[in-house]
PDB file of all heavy atoms in Angstrom:
ATOM      1  N   GLN A  72     160.487  90.943 259.031  1.00  0.00           N
ATOM      2  CA  GLN A  72     159.540  91.970 258.608  1.00  0.00           C
ATOM      3  C   GLN A  72     160.182  92.974 257.616  1.00  0.00           C
ATOM      4  O   GLN A  72     159.474  93.400 256.733  1.00  0.00           O
ATOM      5  CB  GLN A  72     159.042  92.740 259.915  1.00  0.00           C
ATOM      6  CG  GLN A  72     158.229  91.851 260.795  1.00  0.00           C
ATOM      7  CD  GLN A  72     156.870  91.547 260.200  1.00  0.00           C
ATOM      8  OE1 GLN A  72     156.033  92.439 260.042  1.00  0.00           O
ATOM      9  NE2 GLN A  72     156.704  90.272 259.917  1.00  0.00           N
ATOM     10  N   VAL A  73     161.400  93.244 257.870  1.00  0.00           N
ATOM     11  CA  VAL A  73     162.092  94.177 256.904  1.00  0.00           C
ATOM     12  C   VAL A  73     162.180  93.611 255.486  1.00  0.00           C
ATOM     13  O   VAL A  73     161.900  94.218 254.516  1.00  0.00           O
ATOM     14  CB  VAL A  73     163.546  94.437 257.391  1.00  0.00           C
ATOM     15  CG1 VAL A  73     164.290  95.382 256.419  1.00  0.00           C
ATOM     16  CG2 VAL A  73     163.553  95.122 258.785  1.00  0.00           C
ATOM     17  N   ALA A  74     162.465  92.247 255.472  1.00  0.00           N
ATOM     18  CA  ALA A  74     162.480  91.580 254.155  1.00  0.00           C
ATOM     19  C   ALA A  74     161.175  91.630 253.413  1.00  0.00           C
ATOM     20  O   ALA A  74     161.094  91.889 252.191  1.00  0.00           O
ATOM     21  CB  ALA A  74     162.927  90.138 254.340  1.00  0.00           C
ATOM     22  N   VAL A  75     160.078  91.420 254.163  1.00  0.00           N
ATOM     23  CA  VAL A  75     158.754  91.438 253.562  1.00  0.00           C
ATOM     24  C   VAL A  75     158.455  92.838 253.049  1.00  0.00           C
ATOM     25  O   VAL A  75     157.988  93.007 251.864  1.00  0.00           O
ATOM     26  CB  VAL A  75     157.667  90.971 254.529  1.00  0.00           C
ATOM     27  CG1 VAL A  75     156.327  91.268 254.008  1.00  0.00           C
ATOM     28  CG2 VAL A  75     157.803  89.522 254.910  1.00  0.00           C
ATOM     29  N   TYR A  76     158.733  93.846 253.804  1.00  0.00           N
ATOM     30  CA  TYR A  76     158.420  95.208 253.355  1.00  0.00           C
ATOM     31  C   TYR A  76     159.317  95.632 252.236  1.00  0.00           C
ATOM     32  O   TYR A  76     158.861  96.279 251.287  1.00  0.00           O
ATOM     33  CB  TYR A  76     158.611  96.207 254.516  1.00  0.00           C
ATOM     34  CG  TYR A  76     158.154  97.631 254.188  1.00  0.00           C
ATOM     35  CD1 TYR A  76     156.792  97.916 254.235  1.00  0.00           C
ATOM     36  CD2 TYR A  76     159.074  98.566 253.820  1.00  0.00           C
ATOM     37  CE1 TYR A  76     156.299  99.208 253.864  1.00  0.00           C
ATOM     38  CE2 TYR A  76     158.585  99.851 253.389  1.00  0.00           C
ATOM     39  CZ  TYR A  76     157.216 100.169 253.484  1.00  0.00           C
ATOM     40  OH  TYR A  76     156.819 101.395 253.168  1.00  0.00           O
ATOM     41  N   PHE A  77     160.603  95.285 252.231  1.00  0.00           N
ATOM     42  CA  PHE A  77     161.525  95.623 251.205  1.00  0.00           C
ATOM     43  C   PHE A  77     161.021  94.966 249.875  1.00  0.00           C
ATOM     44  O   PHE A  77     161.000  95.687 248.827  1.00  0.00           O
ATOM     45  CB  PHE A  77     162.927  95.126 251.501  1.00  0.00           C
ATOM     46  CG  PHE A  77     163.923  95.506 250.490  1.00  0.00           C
ATOM     47  CD1 PHE A  77     164.438  96.808 250.431  1.00  0.00           C
ATOM     48  CD2 PHE A  77     164.324  94.546 249.520  1.00  0.00           C
ATOM     49  CE1 PHE A  77     165.488  97.113 249.464  1.00  0.00           C
ATOM     50  CE2 PHE A  77     165.251  94.851 248.545  1.00  0.00           C
ATOM     51  CZ  PHE A  77     165.815  96.160 248.515  1.00  0.00           C
ATOM     52  N   ALA A  78     160.700  93.751 249.866  1.00  0.00           N
ATOM     53  CA  ALA A  78     160.243  93.086 248.658  1.00  0.00           C
ATOM     54  C   ALA A  78     158.943  93.729 248.129  1.00  0.00           C
ATOM     55  O   ALA A  78     158.768  93.913 246.940  1.00  0.00           O
ATOM     56  CB  ALA A  78     160.017  91.587 248.902  1.00  0.00           C
ATOM     57  N   THR A  79     158.029  94.013 249.111  1.00  0.00           N
ATOM     58  CA  THR A  79     156.754  94.677 248.696  1.00  0.00           C
ATOM     59  C   THR A  79     157.032  96.019 248.042  1.00  0.00           C
ATOM     60  O   THR A  79     156.430  96.411 247.024  1.00  0.00           O
ATOM     61  CB  THR A  79     155.813  94.777 249.932  1.00  0.00           C
ATOM     62  OG1 THR A  79     155.709  93.520 250.543  1.00  0.00           O
ATOM     63  CG2 THR A  79     154.475  95.301 249.437  1.00  0.00           C
ATOM     64  N   ALA A  80     157.850  96.862 248.703  1.00  0.00           N
ATOM     65  CA  ALA A  80     158.127  98.208 248.239  1.00  0.00           C
ATOM     66  C   ALA A  80     158.819  98.162 246.880  1.00  0.00           C
ATOM     67  O   ALA A  80     158.488  99.033 246.017  1.00  0.00           O
ATOM     68  CB  ALA A  80     158.967  98.951 249.241  1.00  0.00           C
ATOM     69  N   LYS A  81     159.749  97.264 246.668  1.00  0.00           N
ATOM     70  CA  LYS A  81     160.482  97.213 245.396  1.00  0.00           C
ATOM     71  C   LYS A  81     159.670  96.663 244.276  1.00  0.00           C
ATOM     72  O   LYS A  81     159.930  96.882 243.103  1.00  0.00           O
ATOM     73  CB  LYS A  81     161.732  96.341 245.602  1.00  0.00           C
ATOM     74  CG  LYS A  81     162.744  96.988 246.507  1.00  0.00           C
ATOM     75  CD  LYS A  81     163.020  98.447 246.098  1.00  0.00           C
ATOM     76  CE  LYS A  81     164.011  99.131 247.106  1.00  0.00           C
ATOM     77  NZ  LYS A  81     164.101 100.567 246.776  1.00  0.00           N
ATOM     78  N   THR A  82     158.506  96.011 244.558  1.00  0.00           N
ATOM     79  CA  THR A  82     157.617  95.579 243.519  1.00  0.00           C
ATOM     80  C   THR A  82     156.962  96.850 242.853  1.00  0.00           C
ATOM     81  O   THR A  82     156.556  96.768 241.667  1.00  0.00           O
ATOM     82  CB  THR A  82     156.489  94.731 244.150  1.00  0.00           C
ATOM     83  OG1 THR A  82     157.025  93.626 244.803  1.00  0.00           O
ATOM     84  CG2 THR A  82     155.528  94.188 243.072  1.00  0.00           C
ATOM     85  N   LEU A  83     156.959  97.970 243.606  1.00  0.00           N
ATOM     86  CA  LEU A  83     156.462  99.196 242.994  1.00  0.00           C
ATOM     87  C   LEU A  83     157.316  99.784 241.891  1.00  0.00           C
ATOM     88  O   LEU A  83     156.946 100.717 241.189  1.00  0.00           O
ATOM     89  CB  LEU A  83     156.342 100.262 244.096  1.00  0.00           C
ATOM     90  CG  LEU A  83     155.293 100.086 245.190  1.00  0.00           C
ATOM     91  CD1 LEU A  83     155.395 101.131 246.230  1.00  0.00           C
ATOM     92  CD2 LEU A  83     153.880 100.097 244.583  1.00  0.00           C
ATOM     93  N   ALA A  84     158.557  99.202 241.709  1.00  0.00           N
ATOM     94  CA  ALA A  84     159.395  99.646 240.643  1.00  0.00           C
ATOM     95  C   ALA A  84     158.694  99.679 239.312  1.00  0.00           C
ATOM     96  O   ALA A  84     158.999 100.480 238.419  1.00  0.00           O
ATOM     97  CB  ALA A  84     160.691  98.868 240.577  1.00  0.00           C
ATOM     98  N   LEU A  85     157.815  98.708 239.128  1.00  0.00           N
ATOM     99  CA  LEU A  85     157.049  98.649 237.851  1.00  0.00           C
ATOM    100  C   LEU A  85     156.183  99.847 237.638  1.00  0.00           C
ATOM    101  O   LEU A  85     155.974 100.256 236.479  1.00  0.00           O
ATOM    102  CB  LEU A  85     156.187  97.361 237.833  1.00  0.00           C
ATOM    103  CG  LEU A  85     156.924  96.033 237.884  1.00  0.00           C
ATOM    104  CD1 LEU A  85     155.926  94.875 238.059  1.00  0.00           C
ATOM    105  CD2 LEU A  85     157.748  95.846 236.584  1.00  0.00           C
ATOM    106  N   VAL A  86     155.683 100.479 238.709  1.00  0.00           N
ATOM    107  CA  VAL A  86     154.904 101.658 238.625  1.00  0.00           C
ATOM    108  C   VAL A  86     155.805 102.902 238.565  1.00  0.00           C
ATOM    109  O   VAL A  86     155.589 103.806 237.741  1.00  0.00           O
ATOM    110  CB  VAL A  86     153.928 101.772 239.800  1.00  0.00           C
ATOM    111  CG1 VAL A  86     153.031 103.030 239.627  1.00  0.00           C
ATOM    112  CG2 VAL A  86     153.129 100.506 239.991  1.00  0.00           C
ATOM    113  N   HIS A  87     156.866 102.927 239.326  1.00  0.00           N
ATOM    114  CA  HIS A  87     157.844 104.092 239.430  1.00  0.00           C
ATOM    115  C   HIS A  87     158.470 104.232 237.976  1.00  0.00           C
ATOM    116  O   HIS A  87     158.799 105.365 237.661  1.00  0.00           O
ATOM    117  CB  HIS A  87     158.886 103.790 240.383  1.00  0.00           C
ATOM    118  CG  HIS A  87     158.511 104.113 241.783  1.00  0.00           C
ATOM    119  ND1 HIS A  87     158.078 105.355 242.179  1.00  0.00           N
ATOM    120  CD2 HIS A  87     158.452 103.349 242.907  1.00  0.00           C
ATOM    121  CE1 HIS A  87     157.842 105.393 243.510  1.00  0.00           C
ATOM    122  NE2 HIS A  87     158.016 104.108 243.972  1.00  0.00           N
ATOM    123  N   PHE A  88     158.621 103.177 237.298  1.00  0.00           N
ATOM    124  CA  PHE A  88     159.301 103.244 235.969  1.00  0.00           C
ATOM    125  C   PHE A  88     158.654 104.262 235.057  1.00  0.00           C
ATOM    126  O   PHE A  88     159.381 104.968 234.329  1.00  0.00           O
ATOM    127  CB  PHE A  88     159.319 101.937 235.316  1.00  0.00           C
ATOM    128  CG  PHE A  88     159.899 101.926 233.922  1.00  0.00           C
ATOM    129  CD1 PHE A  88     161.258 101.944 233.689  1.00  0.00           C
ATOM    130  CD2 PHE A  88     159.029 101.843 232.840  1.00  0.00           C
ATOM    131  CE1 PHE A  88     161.793 102.023 232.420  1.00  0.00           C
ATOM    132  CE2 PHE A  88     159.566 101.848 231.526  1.00  0.00           C
ATOM    133  CZ  PHE A  88     160.881 101.913 231.403  1.00  0.00           C
ATOM    134  N   VAL A  89     157.290 104.376 235.076  1.00  0.00           N
ATOM    135  CA  VAL A  89     156.644 105.296 234.207  1.00  0.00           C
ATOM    136  C   VAL A  89     157.046 106.757 234.485  1.00  0.00           C
ATOM    137  O   VAL A  89     157.393 107.532 233.597  1.00  0.00           O
ATOM    138  CB  VAL A  89     155.073 105.150 234.332  1.00  0.00           C
ATOM    139  CG1 VAL A  89     154.424 106.168 233.544  1.00  0.00           C
ATOM    140  CG2 VAL A  89     154.666 103.788 234.002  1.00  0.00           C
ATOM    141  N   TYR A  90     157.051 107.078 235.764  1.00  0.00           N
ATOM    142  CA  TYR A  90     157.459 108.445 236.178  1.00  0.00           C
ATOM    143  C   TYR A  90     158.920 108.807 235.724  1.00  0.00           C
ATOM    144  O   TYR A  90     159.082 109.834 235.142  1.00  0.00           O
ATOM    145  CB  TYR A  90     157.326 108.587 237.680  1.00  0.00           C
ATOM    146  CG  TYR A  90     158.061 109.680 238.313  1.00  0.00           C
ATOM    147  CD1 TYR A  90     157.609 111.030 238.141  1.00  0.00           C
ATOM    148  CD2 TYR A  90     159.276 109.502 239.013  1.00  0.00           C
ATOM    149  CE1 TYR A  90     158.318 112.100 238.729  1.00  0.00           C
ATOM    150  CE2 TYR A  90     159.944 110.524 239.582  1.00  0.00           C
ATOM    151  CZ  TYR A  90     159.496 111.807 239.406  1.00  0.00           C
ATOM    152  OH  TYR A  90     160.228 112.819 239.973  1.00  0.00           O
ATOM    153  N   PHE A  91     159.821 107.885 236.020  1.00  0.00           N
ATOM    154  CA  PHE A  91     161.161 108.134 235.647  1.00  0.00           C
ATOM    155  C   PHE A  91     161.427 108.230 234.173  1.00  0.00           C
ATOM    156  O   PHE A  91     162.243 108.957 233.690  1.00  0.00           O
ATOM    157  CB  PHE A  91     162.092 107.078 236.316  1.00  0.00           C
ATOM    158  CG  PHE A  91     162.308 107.290 237.773  1.00  0.00           C
ATOM    159  CD1 PHE A  91     161.717 106.357 238.707  1.00  0.00           C
ATOM    160  CD2 PHE A  91     163.058 108.302 238.267  1.00  0.00           C
ATOM    161  CE1 PHE A  91     161.886 106.551 240.031  1.00  0.00           C
ATOM    162  CE2 PHE A  91     163.234 108.483 239.643  1.00  0.00           C
ATOM    163  CZ  PHE A  91     162.663 107.578 240.579  1.00  0.00           C
ATOM    164  N   ALA A  92     160.659 107.392 233.443  1.00  0.00           N
ATOM    165  CA  ALA A  92     160.781 107.401 232.000  1.00  0.00           C
ATOM    166  C   ALA A  92     160.345 108.751 231.387  1.00  0.00           C
ATOM    167  O   ALA A  92     161.008 109.386 230.571  1.00  0.00           O
ATOM    168  CB  ALA A  92     160.015 106.283 231.380  1.00  0.00           C
ATOM    169  N   VAL A  93     159.172 109.277 231.882  1.00  0.00           N
ATOM    170  CA  VAL A  93     158.655 110.541 231.402  1.00  0.00           C
ATOM    171  C   VAL A  93     159.548 111.699 231.820  1.00  0.00           C
ATOM    172  O   VAL A  93     159.824 112.577 231.078  1.00  0.00           O
ATOM    173  CB  VAL A  93     157.199 110.783 231.944  1.00  0.00           C
ATOM    174  CG1 VAL A  93     156.696 112.142 231.517  1.00  0.00           C
ATOM    175  CG2 VAL A  93     156.265 109.641 231.357  1.00  0.00           C
ATOM    176  N   LYS A  94     160.035 111.616 233.117  1.00  0.00           N
ATOM    177  CA  LYS A  94     160.865 112.650 233.611  1.00  0.00           C
ATOM    178  C   LYS A  94     162.160 112.837 232.757  1.00  0.00           C
ATOM    179  O   LYS A  94     162.581 113.867 232.442  1.00  0.00           O
ATOM    180  CB  LYS A  94     161.265 112.346 235.047  1.00  0.00           C
ATOM    181  CG  LYS A  94     162.280 113.323 235.670  1.00  0.00           C
ATOM    182  CD  LYS A  94     162.592 112.870 237.099  1.00  0.00           C
ATOM    183  CE  LYS A  94     163.638 113.862 237.661  1.00  0.00           C
ATOM    184  NZ  LYS A  94     163.945 113.472 239.107  1.00  0.00           N
ATOM    185  N   ALA A  95     162.702 111.644 232.302  1.00  0.00           N
ATOM    186  CA  ALA A  95     163.946 111.689 231.535  1.00  0.00           C
ATOM    187  C   ALA A  95     163.746 112.248 230.161  1.00  0.00           C
ATOM    188  O   ALA A  95     164.642 112.873 229.571  1.00  0.00           O
ATOM    189  CB  ALA A  95     164.501 110.269 231.349  1.00  0.00           C
ATOM    190  N   GLY A  96     162.509 112.180 229.670  1.00  0.00           N
ATOM    191  CA  GLY A  96     162.235 112.769 228.346  1.00  0.00           C
ATOM    192  C   GLY A  96     161.695 114.167 228.223  1.00  0.00           C
ATOM    193  O   GLY A  96     161.730 114.679 227.058  1.00  0.00           O
ATOM    194  N   VAL A  97     161.242 114.722 229.269  1.00  0.00           N
ATOM    195  CA  VAL A  97     160.514 116.054 229.141  1.00  0.00           C
ATOM    196  C   VAL A  97     161.352 117.189 229.637  1.00  0.00           C
ATOM    197  O   VAL A  97     161.060 118.333 229.268  1.00  0.00           O
ATOM    198  CB  VAL A  97     159.129 116.026 229.920  1.00  0.00           C
ATOM    199  CG1 VAL A  97     158.271 114.895 229.353  1.00  0.00           C
ATOM    200  CG2 VAL A  97     159.378 115.871 231.352  1.00  0.00           C
ATOM    201  N   SER A  98     162.368 116.977 230.437  1.00  0.00           N
ATOM    202  CA  SER A  98     163.088 118.057 231.023  1.00  0.00           C
ATOM    203  C   SER A  98     163.659 119.062 229.966  1.00  0.00           C
ATOM    204  O   SER A  98     163.507 120.271 230.116  1.00  0.00           O
ATOM    205  CB  SER A  98     164.189 117.544 231.925  1.00  0.00           C
ATOM    206  OG  SER A  98     163.737 116.823 232.971  1.00  0.00           O
ATOM    207  N   GLN A  99     164.306 118.550 228.919  1.00  0.00           N
ATOM    208  CA  GLN A  99     164.847 119.389 227.961  1.00  0.00           C
ATOM    209  C   GLN A  99     163.763 120.132 227.212  1.00  0.00           C
ATOM    210  O   GLN A  99     163.949 121.362 226.841  1.00  0.00           O
ATOM    211  CB  GLN A  99     165.720 118.525 226.919  1.00  0.00           C
ATOM    212  CG  GLN A  99     166.883 117.886 227.540  1.00  0.00           C
ATOM    213  CD  GLN A  99     166.570 116.463 228.115  1.00  0.00           C
ATOM    214  OE1 GLN A  99     165.386 116.146 228.336  1.00  0.00           O
ATOM    215  NE2 GLN A  99     167.588 115.737 228.390  1.00  0.00           N
ATOM    216  N   ARG A 100     162.642 119.545 226.983  1.00  0.00           N
ATOM    217  CA  ARG A 100     161.528 120.226 226.341  1.00  0.00           C
ATOM    218  C   ARG A 100     161.008 121.353 227.220  1.00  0.00           C
ATOM    219  O   ARG A 100     160.563 122.352 226.713  1.00  0.00           O
ATOM    220  CB  ARG A 100     160.441 119.214 225.914  1.00  0.00           C
ATOM    221  CG  ARG A 100     159.260 119.770 225.195  1.00  0.00           C
ATOM    222  CD  ARG A 100     159.660 120.325 223.872  1.00  0.00           C
ATOM    223  NE  ARG A 100     158.427 120.725 223.159  1.00  0.00           N
ATOM    224  CZ  ARG A 100     158.535 121.594 222.059  1.00  0.00           C
ATOM    225  NH1 ARG A 100     159.697 122.073 221.656  1.00  0.00           N
ATOM    226  NH2 ARG A 100     157.395 121.876 221.458  1.00  0.00           N
ATOM    227  N   TYR A 101     160.863 121.065 228.526  1.00  0.00           N
ATOM    228  CA  TYR A 101     160.521 122.121 229.403  1.00  0.00           C
ATOM    229  C   TYR A 101     161.367 123.306 229.269  1.00  0.00           C
ATOM    230  O   TYR A 101     160.888 124.477 229.183  1.00  0.00           O
ATOM    231  CB  TYR A 101     160.565 121.631 230.860  1.00  0.00           C
ATOM    232  CG  TYR A 101     159.396 120.703 231.314  1.00  0.00           C
ATOM    233  CD1 TYR A 101     159.589 119.897 232.446  1.00  0.00           C
ATOM    234  CD2 TYR A 101     158.242 120.740 230.683  1.00  0.00           C
ATOM    235  CE1 TYR A 101     158.558 119.059 232.816  1.00  0.00           C
ATOM    236  CE2 TYR A 101     157.196 119.849 231.084  1.00  0.00           C
ATOM    237  CZ  TYR A 101     157.369 119.055 232.193  1.00  0.00           C
ATOM    238  OH  TYR A 101     156.392 118.249 232.620  1.00  0.00           O
ATOM    239  N   ALA A 102     162.705 123.100 229.314  1.00  0.00           N
ATOM    240  CA  ALA A 102     163.660 124.230 229.219  1.00  0.00           C
ATOM    241  C   ALA A 102     163.455 125.017 227.914  1.00  0.00           C
ATOM    242  O   ALA A 102     163.494 126.216 227.877  1.00  0.00           O
ATOM    243  CB  ALA A 102     165.018 123.677 229.326  1.00  0.00           C
ATOM    244  N   GLN A 103     163.284 124.214 226.783  1.00  0.00           N
ATOM    245  CA  GLN A 103     163.133 124.870 225.499  1.00  0.00           C
ATOM    246  C   GLN A 103     161.868 125.782 225.452  1.00  0.00           C
ATOM    247  O   GLN A 103     161.874 126.913 225.014  1.00  0.00           O
ATOM    248  CB  GLN A 103     163.097 123.822 224.453  1.00  0.00           C
ATOM    249  CG  GLN A 103     162.901 124.386 223.017  1.00  0.00           C
ATOM    250  CD  GLN A 103     162.727 123.317 221.953  1.00  0.00           C
ATOM    251  OE1 GLN A 103     162.602 122.157 222.284  1.00  0.00           O
ATOM    252  NE2 GLN A 103     162.805 123.733 220.712  1.00  0.00           N
ATOM    253  N   LEU A 104     160.738 125.208 225.961  1.00  0.00           N
ATOM    254  CA  LEU A 104     159.502 126.006 225.900  1.00  0.00           C
ATOM    255  C   LEU A 104     159.536 127.159 226.856  1.00  0.00           C
ATOM    256  O   LEU A 104     158.895 128.199 226.601  1.00  0.00           O
ATOM    257  CB  LEU A 104     158.299 125.055 226.227  1.00  0.00           C
ATOM    258  CG  LEU A 104     157.976 123.970 225.172  1.00  0.00           C
ATOM    259  CD1 LEU A 104     156.958 123.048 225.641  1.00  0.00           C
ATOM    260  CD2 LEU A 104     157.588 124.670 223.845  1.00  0.00           C
ATOM    261  N   ILE A 105     160.164 127.012 227.945  1.00  0.00           N
ATOM    262  CA  ILE A 105     160.223 128.113 228.939  1.00  0.00           C
ATOM    263  C   ILE A 105     160.978 129.294 228.370  1.00  0.00           C
ATOM    264  O   ILE A 105     160.618 130.481 228.525  1.00  0.00           O
ATOM    265  CB  ILE A 105     160.906 127.653 230.247  1.00  0.00           C
ATOM    266  CG1 ILE A 105     159.997 126.772 231.104  1.00  0.00           C
ATOM    267  CG2 ILE A 105     161.314 128.824 231.163  1.00  0.00           C
ATOM    268  CD1 ILE A 105     160.593 126.039 232.168  1.00  0.00           C
ATOM    269  N   HIS A 106     162.057 129.041 227.574  1.00  0.00           N
ATOM    270  CA  HIS A 106     162.882 130.081 227.088  1.00  0.00           C
ATOM    271  C   HIS A 106     162.497 130.588 225.649  1.00  0.00           C
ATOM    272  O   HIS A 106     162.759 131.732 225.287  1.00  0.00           O
ATOM    273  CB  HIS A 106     164.377 129.691 227.092  1.00  0.00           C
ATOM    274  CG  HIS A 106     164.879 129.442 228.438  1.00  0.00           C
ATOM    275  ND1 HIS A 106     165.146 130.536 229.301  1.00  0.00           N
ATOM    276  CD2 HIS A 106     165.171 128.365 229.180  1.00  0.00           C
ATOM    277  CE1 HIS A 106     165.617 130.102 230.457  1.00  0.00           C
ATOM    278  NE2 HIS A 106     165.607 128.738 230.423  1.00  0.00           N
ATOM    279  N   ASP A 107     161.891 129.673 224.882  1.00  0.00           N
ATOM    280  CA  ASP A 107     161.653 129.909 223.488  1.00  0.00           C
ATOM    281  C   ASP A 107     160.185 129.885 223.071  1.00  0.00           C
ATOM    282  O   ASP A 107     159.789 130.406 221.992  1.00  0.00           O
ATOM    283  CB  ASP A 107     162.421 129.075 222.567  1.00  0.00           C
ATOM    284  CG  ASP A 107     163.905 129.234 222.715  1.00  0.00           C
ATOM    285  OD1 ASP A 107     164.400 130.359 223.092  1.00  0.00           O
ATOM    286  OD2 ASP A 107     164.671 128.189 222.590  1.00  0.00           O
ATOM    287  N   GLY A 108     159.315 129.218 223.886  1.00  0.00           N
ATOM    288  CA  GLY A 108     157.988 128.986 223.467  1.00  0.00           C
ATOM    289  C   GLY A 108     157.002 130.003 224.196  1.00  0.00           C
ATOM    290  O   GLY A 108     157.417 130.803 225.031  1.00  0.00           O
ATOM    291  N   SER A 109     155.730 129.855 223.901  1.00  0.00           N
ATOM    292  CA  SER A 109     154.676 130.635 224.565  1.00  0.00           C
ATOM    293  C   SER A 109     154.204 129.852 225.748  1.00  0.00           C
ATOM    294  O   SER A 109     154.405 128.669 225.982  1.00  0.00           O
ATOM    295  CB  SER A 109     153.534 130.850 223.538  1.00  0.00           C
ATOM    296  OG  SER A 109     152.872 129.623 223.321  1.00  0.00           O
ATOM    297  N   LYS A 110     153.512 130.634 226.634  1.00  0.00           N
ATOM    298  CA  LYS A 110     152.987 129.983 227.809  1.00  0.00           C
ATOM    299  C   LYS A 110     151.923 128.910 227.495  1.00  0.00           C
ATOM    300  O   LYS A 110     151.858 127.934 228.180  1.00  0.00           O
ATOM    301  CB  LYS A 110     152.353 131.054 228.748  1.00  0.00           C
ATOM    302  CG  LYS A 110     151.842 130.477 230.068  1.00  0.00           C
ATOM    303  CD  LYS A 110     151.234 131.521 230.921  1.00  0.00           C
ATOM    304  CE  LYS A 110     150.737 130.852 232.251  1.00  0.00           C
ATOM    305  NZ  LYS A 110     150.073 131.874 233.192  1.00  0.00           N
ATOM    306  N   GLN A 111     151.125 129.220 226.444  1.00  0.00           N
ATOM    307  CA  GLN A 111     150.157 128.187 226.053  1.00  0.00           C
ATOM    308  C   GLN A 111     150.792 126.871 225.595  1.00  0.00           C
ATOM    309  O   GLN A 111     150.288 125.790 225.933  1.00  0.00           O
ATOM    310  CB  GLN A 111     149.293 128.781 224.882  1.00  0.00           C
ATOM    311  CG  GLN A 111     148.363 129.881 225.259  1.00  0.00           C
ATOM    312  CD  GLN A 111     149.076 131.208 225.509  1.00  0.00           C
ATOM    313  OE1 GLN A 111     150.276 131.370 225.031  1.00  0.00           O
ATOM    314  NE2 GLN A 111     148.428 132.140 226.151  1.00  0.00           N
ATOM    315  N   GLU A 112     151.923 126.972 224.922  1.00  0.00           N
ATOM    316  CA  GLU A 112     152.633 125.785 224.478  1.00  0.00           C
ATOM    317  C   GLU A 112     153.160 125.056 225.728  1.00  0.00           C
ATOM    318  O   GLU A 112     153.074 123.819 225.772  1.00  0.00           O
ATOM    319  CB  GLU A 112     153.755 126.076 223.507  1.00  0.00           C
ATOM    320  CG  GLU A 112     153.311 126.597 222.148  1.00  0.00           C
ATOM    321  CD  GLU A 112     154.562 126.895 221.291  1.00  0.00           C
ATOM    322  OE1 GLU A 112     155.332 127.816 221.657  1.00  0.00           O
ATOM    323  OE2 GLU A 112     154.689 126.367 220.214  1.00  0.00           O
TER     324      GLU A 112
END
């Protein structure tokens, strides 16, 4: 049962990839806008 669940859960990596890809690209921009940009930006 552990093997079935593990394989099923790891199939979600295809969906998780989107979140991790966006996260890796936006953090620096968040910091820049928080310190140098406007709230609207």
